[in-house]
Amino acid sequence: MMHIKTGILCSLLLFNVQLAVSQDNKPVKTVIAKENGGYTIKRDGQPYFIKGAGGSNYMDRLKAYGGNSIRTWSPQNAGKILDDAHRLGLTVTLGLDVRAERHGFDYNNPEQVAQQLEGIRKTVLQYRNHPALLAWGIGNELNLHYSNPKVWDAVNAIAVMIHELDPNHLVTTMLAGINQKEFDYIQEKCPAIDLIAVQVYGGLASVPQQIKSVGWTKPYIVTEWGPTGHWEVTQTPWSASIEENSSEKAAVYKSRYEASIGTDKNCLGSYVFLWGQKQERTPTWYGLFTEAGEENEVVDVMQYLWSKKWPENRSPHVSSLLLDGKKAADFVYVEPGKTYPVAVSVNDPDGDKLMTRWELLHESTDLKEGGDREERPKAIPGRVADEGQQHTQLTAPAEEGAYRLFVYVSDGHNNVATANIPFYVTAKKSNTSAAAAKNTYRFSTEPVWADEFNYEGLPDTTKWSYDVGSKYNGWGNNEDQYYVASSLKNSVVGKGVLKIKALKESKGGKPYTSARLVSKDKGDFLYGRFEARAKLPRGRGNWPAIWMLPTASKYGNWPNSGEIDILEHVGYDQDVLHISTHTKAYNHNINTQKTATTKVAGVSDDFHLYRVDWTPEYIKGFIDDQEIFSVENEHKTFAEWPFDQKFHWLLNLAIGGNWGGKHGVDDKIFPNVFEIDYVRVYELLP
């Protein structure tokens, strides 16, 4: 019996070959119209909502499942891609090669900028009249790790040039996330673009609200969206990101799309990521297909979202993957050479016979950013006892280190369920015992110490004092601010919020003033749950922090007695957050600090919850209750674990310095404001 996917493909291929022959090779006029309280693309006069995917693979399947457009990241092979899309009745948003600052491009160099513009001009002239062309995409995530706003001048110059050469197609640029700074720059510097394109993963459902919050009233599209990103999920203590299985991904794809792209009248459509397969953290994280072209459950969801019809034959559904009876979030440690049970639970909605295969890989170490190419780790064969079974055994590798076990369960109709579990091979039994102890600690349900900031005026003097001045060569970091005490200009409480303000004013030989509040001798604690809800300032040069230092420093000066960083952020790296600990053995001066980094959209637009749980065995860090950091007590000396003494809070907004000022200070950001809704301490229960 022919399944519906196969039947649709055959008929569509025949129809579209006939259609392509009858059409002239002329551009199709595309504009944006404002109507019905929102915006609509009009292509050849007809409404056109983008139901697209990123990538040029499997275009016939995309068409068969209800999609209508693809997006590329460069003009490589553009002629063939456009022709293939045209034969299928698809459109293309064609990416243009615009160099990013993080790849070494200098937007202060007019010769480089002019050469780039000329290269893009040639591409536009070559493809501007192709009937499959829908829009031009200027670069990809040019705001990722950049500091020079002249990039937006270059983007506008490219857009102006395109409109002069090609009046028939739309022009956009693709942004990583939704950040006030970039939207302000684009509003000011890029009037020639027709719409903005954003790329968001875990935060997709909140995109309509975020777009409004940054003041963007024009139309937009989402040119990348997909699973929860590797920077957004829980990480193991050895810094391996925990990936959703294919069924968990399918659920979030559907719910996030329906909450945002499917409802916002200012959204003109989207390109799901990735219509293909790639290695990025893992071989399965972002692709909707395996390397063999099998489709996971997300493809079923996309067919439903595009066509409002589920496929006749559905993909297998995975509910769990266990190693030694533990799930990934249990942080699995195993001993070298020992054998452990592994089990995956999968069912097929159509009752198809399922086939299982396992693959063991080293944890990837070729880690890049912004989708840059990564090398796939080599498979380690012969470690799974019966690779065709859902319940079998794994013999741990003899070499200590980080690994990841993958499972693929296929239904015989090119559909597959995927899952993986990271684990760590170690002979140190203290690691496994500490891991087991992670769930034995409890905290009080009510704070034992807090400041809710439900008053007016200066911070409560029974809870807070101030560090004053610019000691120790800018507090040991060459910082550019002078900290002042008891000044309503720099630290003020009102409307339930503490505001720490950095101002451009000279004092004590420094060009800026700010404040650093400390709870020393007024709020000092050994162990507990420490949390603060805060909204971070925006702008290159700022360096807000919520952290803790020892009150008595029983092991000597920093770093011997330790430091706990509940939150750090530097303004030139918007939405990237850091949680760290520092000790004599592990600190940033010798590049051995224990740290975790993650990206959270909108940290300067909304309040987020920052927290650490500190116990005798571990310190764990959380953002919005999602664990991203964990360090364990190695039970050696104070050099590794000085965290057996009282610590106190510090809340501050630094300016410049070795880290915060790495890309200079933008004087347009002042006054710069760090807002804290509350700080709370919960007691560690016996």
Side-chain angles (χ1 to χ4, degrees):
M1 176 180 175
M2 179 182 291
H3 285 290
I4 188 169
K5 290 183 180 181
T6 308
I8 292 174
L9 280 172
C10 292
S11 60
L12 277 171
L13 285 171
L14 178 61
F15 171 75
N16 285 307
V17 168
Q18 294 170 340
L19 178 66
V21 171
S22 65
Q23 289 180 330
D24 295 326
N25 192 34
K26 294 180 180 179
V28 179
K29 181 74 173 179
T30 304
V31 298
I32 295 174
K34 191 169 185 178
E35 58 184 30
N36 300 323
Y39 292 92
T40 303
I41 293 176
K42 292 291 184 71
R43 187 168 188 267
D44 200 20
Q46 299 301 311
Y48 190 88
F49 186 79
I50 299 172
K51 302 176 182 178
S56 57
N57 295 306
Y58 312 117
M59 284 194 279
D60 52 348
R61 301 192 205 181
L62 183 140
K63 178 66 177 181
Y65 305 159
N68 61 11
S69 191
I70 66 162
R71 173 261 172 121
T72 74
W73 286 260
S74 81
Q76 186 177 6
N77 299 321
K80 183 179 187 306
I81 291 169
L82 286 161
D83 288 345
D84 290 346
H86 182 47
R87 281 193 294 272
L88 290 164
L90 302 174
T91 65
V92 179
T93 290
L94 190 64
L96 295 169
D97 281 325
V98 180
R99 294 283 305 283
E101 187 179 338
R102 65 190 177 89
H103 291 149
F105 194 87
D106 183 5
Y107 280 93
N108 286 321
N109 187 323
E111 185 175 328
Q112 281 189 23
V113 173
Q115 288 175 350
Q116 176 171 263
L117 182 66
E118 182 57 31
I120 293 169
R121 179 189 299 273
K122 293 176 181 177
T123 299
V124 173
L125 287 171
Q126 186 173 1
Y127 300 114
R128 63 181 175 176
N129 291 326
H130 200 288
L133 185 63
L134 177 72
W136 301 98
I138 301 176
N140 185 66
E141 298 189 346
L142 296 171
N143 62 319
L144 189 63
H145 302 312
Y146 86 112
S147 61
N148 192 345
K150 288 184 179 179
V151 65
W152 307 120
D153 298 322
V155 167
N156 194 63
I158 294 167
V160 169
M161 178 268 292
I162 292 173
H163 282 308
E164 290 173 352
L165 299 177
D166 178 11
N168 295 307
H169 300 107
L170 305 174
V171 180
T172 187
T173 187
M174 289 72 171
L175 298 180
I178 301 170
N179 303 309
Q180 188 71 56
K181 180 181 70 172
E182 280 74 47
F183 275 81
D184 288 346
Y185 275 134
I186 287 169
Q187 296 266 32
E188 174 190 352
K189 293 175 173 286
C190 300
I193 66 168
D194 299 302
L195 71 165
I196 198 66
V198 297
Q199 308 196 152
V200 181
Y201 287 81
L204 181 67
S206 63
V207 162
Q209 183 56 44
Q210 289 184 50
I211 286 283
K212 292 176 184 176
S213 71
V214 296
W216 186 261
T217 58
K218 299 177 183 178
Y220 70 93
I221 55 176
V222 183
T223 42
E224 278 187 29
W225 65 277
T228 309
H230 59 262
W231 62 93
E232 298 172 309
V233 299
T234 300
Q235 289 193 329
T236 68
W238 57 93
S239 299
S241 298
I242 297 177
E243 181 181 350
E244 298 160 327
N245 64 44
S246 56
S247 297
E248 291 169 332
K249 291 175 187 176
V252 298
Y253 273 70
K254 185 174 183 292
S255 63
R256 292 170 184 166
Y257 183 99
E258 290 176 335
S260 56
I261 296 165
T263 60
D264 190 356
K265 291 185 178 181
N266 287 350
C267 182
L268 304 181
S270 71
Y271 294 92
V272 68
F273 188 83
L274 170 73
W275 200 258
Q277 185 275 337
K278 69 176 299 194
Q279 166 70 34
E280 188 168 356
R281 280 333 188 252
T282 76
T284 56
W285 201 299
Y286 294 99
L288 276 62
F289 301 82
T290 64
E291 289 141 309
E294 298 161 299
E295 303 172 3
N296 69 38
E297 196 173 340
V298 179
V299 178
D300 294 357
V301 165
M302 293 316 303
Q303 180 168 339
Y304 172 78
L305 293 173
W306 288 336
S307 70
K308 301 305 177 188
K309 296 179 181 178
W310 291 101
E312 183 177 298
N313 187 268
R314 302 280 293 273
S315 296
H317 183 89
V318 55
S319 54
S320 68
L321 172 61
L322 301 176
L323 168 56
D324 193 25
K326 303 179 180 72
K327 57 186 183 297
D330 293 327
F331 304 153
V332 183
Y333 291 88
V334 300
E335 295 183 45
K338 288 191 66 175
T339 297
Y340 297 88
V342 293
V344 62
S345 179
V346 181
N347 64 78
D348 189 85
D350 309 298
D352 294 325
K353 182 180 179 181
L354 297 176
M355 295 157 283
T356 304
R357 63 186 189 276
W358 299 85
E359 184 178 43
L360 178 63
L361 303 179
H362 285 281
E363 185 65 38
S364 178
T365 57
D366 185 28
L367 307 180
K368 303 291 177 57
E369 292 182 288
D372 294 349
R373 185 179 182 277
E374 300 178 7
E375 289 292 333
R376 189 188 200 276
K378 292 183 179 179
I380 304 169
R383 291 284 168 175
V384 178
D386 190 339
E387 297 190 9
Q389 298 298 314
Q390 292 186 22
H391 295 256
T392 182
Q393 290 184 318
L394 169 74
T395 300
E399 182 182 352
E400 293 196 13
Y403 299 83
R404 196 176 290 248
L405 180 66
F406 293 77
V407 65
Y408 302 81
V409 182
S410 305
D411 68 353
H413 300 289
N414 208 44
N415 300 315
V416 66
T418 66
N420 66 71
I421 186 167
F423 64 94
Y424 199 90
V425 176
T426 178
K428 299 175 183 177
K429 292 188 177 181
S430 61
N431 280 340
T432 55
S433 63
K438 285 176 184 292
N439 298 318
T440 64
Y441 291 104
R442 298 179 301 117
F443 302 91
S444 62
T445 57
E446 296 295 327
V448 294
W449 188 95
D451 197 338
E452 303 291 334
F453 302 115
N454 291 327
Y455 51 91
E456 303 287 327
L458 290 168
D460 184 349
T461 56
T462 67
K463 293 185 171 118
W464 303 106
S465 301
Y466 300 85
D467 280 335
V468 179
S470 183
K471 302 175 183 177
Y472 322 120
N473 296 318
W475 301 100
N477 300 303
N478 295 308
E479 296 164 24
D480 293 330
Q481 80 290 331
Y482 185 97
Y483 286 133
V484 300
S486 300
S487 169
L488 289 173
K489 291 196 303 182
N490 294 104
S491 56
V492 60
V493 178
K495 298 182 179 179
V497 173
L498 165 66
K499 293 184 178 182
I500 300 176
K501 298 181 180 180
L503 306 175
K504 182 171 171 48
E505 59 178 9
S506 298
K507 189 174 180 66
K510 293 292 184 179
Y512 312 103
T513 61
S514 186
R516 181 154 103 176
L517 279 67
V518 299
S519 70
K520 186 175 182 179
D521 298 324
K522 299 178 179 181
D524 308 275
F525 312 95
L526 173 62
Y527 310 133
R529 171 168 289 170
F530 303 83
E531 65 180 27
R533 187 170 181 264
K535 182 193 295 186
L536 307 188
R538 185 187 306 277
R540 176 167 48 86
N542 70 47
W543 184 0
I546 301 171
W547 52 306
M548 302 180 75
L549 283 176
T551 298
S553 295
K554 66 186 269 190
Y555 300 114
N557 293 333
W558 192 95
N560 291 21
S561 292
E563 174 184 326
I564 301 171
D565 296 324
I566 300 171
L567 160 76
E568 285 189 282
H569 176 259
V570 287
Y572 68 81
D573 208 3
Q574 183 63 34
D575 290 344
V576 177
L577 307 175
H578 308 264
I579 301 177
S580 310
T581 56
H582 298 276
T583 69
K584 182 178 180 180
Y586 306 118
N587 67 80
H588 67 79
N589 283 348
I590 55 177
N591 202 31
T592 57
Q593 75 271 24
K594 301 292 187 177
T595 190
T597 299
T598 191
K599 190 168 185 178
V600 177
V603 297
S604 299
D605 303 314
D606 301 297
F607 285 89
H608 292 265
L609 185 63
Y610 305 98
R611 163 184 140 214
V612 297
D613 290 354
W614 171 23
T615 77
E617 291 294 337
Y618 63 81
I619 296 172
K620 296 163 69 173
F622 303 78
I623 297 174
D624 293 330
D625 291 322
Q626 184 174 68
E627 182 179 338
I628 72 161
F629 172 81
S630 180
V631 61
E632 296 179 2
N633 186 350
E634 299 176 26
H635 296 285
K636 294 180 180 177
T637 70
F638 79 86
E640 296 79 25
W641 188 265
F643 306 113
D644 58 356
Q645 58 183 309
K646 287 186 176 182
F647 276 59
H648 61 269
W649 289 92
L650 296 95
L651 311 173
N652 66 275
L653 175 52
I655 301 296
N658 298 339
W659 190 16
K662 185 177 180 181
H663 295 284
V665 178
D666 180 4
D667 282 346
K668 292 186 298 185
I669 69 175
F670 298 99
N672 206 230
V673 182
F674 181 20
E675 299 182 63
I676 298 104
D677 183 26
Y678 60 76
V679 293
R680 297 171 182 167
V681 180
Y682 299 83
E683 184 181 13
L684 178 67
L685 298 177

mmCIF file of all heavy atoms in Angstrom, residues 221 232 277 354:
data_model
loop_
_atom_site.group_PDB
_atom_site.id
_atom_site.type_symbol
_atom_site.label_atom_id
_atom_site.label_comp_id
_atom_site.label_asym_id
_atom_site.label_seq_id
_atom_site.Cartn_x
_atom_site.Cartn_y
_atom_site.Cartn_z
ATOM 1 N N ILE A 221 9.842 38.420 10.264
ATOM 2 C CA ILE A 221 9.772 36.979 10.057
ATOM 3 C C ILE A 221 10.744 36.316 11.028
ATOM 4 O O ILE A 221 11.623 36.973 11.586
ATOM 5 C CB ILE A 221 10.094 36.557 8.600
ATOM 6 C CG1 ILE A 221 11.470 37.098 8.167
ATOM 7 C CG2 ILE A 221 9.012 37.020 7.646
ATOM 8 C CD1 ILE A 221 11.888 36.640 6.770
ATOM 9 N N GLU A 232 20.622 26.926 26.173
ATOM 10 C CA GLU A 232 19.441 27.207 26.990
ATOM 11 C C GLU A 232 19.064 26.070 27.926
ATOM 12 O O GLU A 232 18.167 26.225 28.751
ATOM 13 C CB GLU A 232 18.245 27.501 26.073
ATOM 14 C CG GLU A 232 18.438 28.726 25.197
ATOM 15 C CD GLU A 232 17.336 28.884 24.157
ATOM 16 O OE1 GLU A 232 17.051 27.901 23.435
ATOM 17 O OE2 GLU A 232 16.756 29.983 24.074
ATOM 18 N N GLN A 277 20.332 17.840 8.069
ATOM 19 C CA GLN A 277 21.064 17.303 9.216
ATOM 20 C C GLN A 277 22.408 18.012 9.304
ATOM 21 O O GLN A 277 23.004 18.373 8.297
ATOM 22 C CB GLN A 277 21.282 15.795 9.061
ATOM 23 C CG GLN A 277 21.933 15.112 10.251
ATOM 24 C CD GLN A 277 23.451 15.175 10.267
ATOM 25 O OE1 GLN A 277 24.074 15.349 9.214
ATOM 26 N NE2 GLN A 277 24.041 15.041 11.446
ATOM 27 N N LEU A 354 9.332 -1.985 14.911
ATOM 28 C CA LEU A 354 10.396 -1.025 15.160
ATOM 29 C C LEU A 354 11.773 -1.687 15.139
ATOM 30 O O LEU A 354 11.938 -2.824 15.589
ATOM 31 C CB LEU A 354 10.181 -0.343 16.508
ATOM 32 C CG LEU A 354 8.902 0.489 16.632
ATOM 33 C CD1 LEU A 354 8.743 1.047 18.035
ATOM 34 C CD2 LEU A 354 8.898 1.617 15.604
#
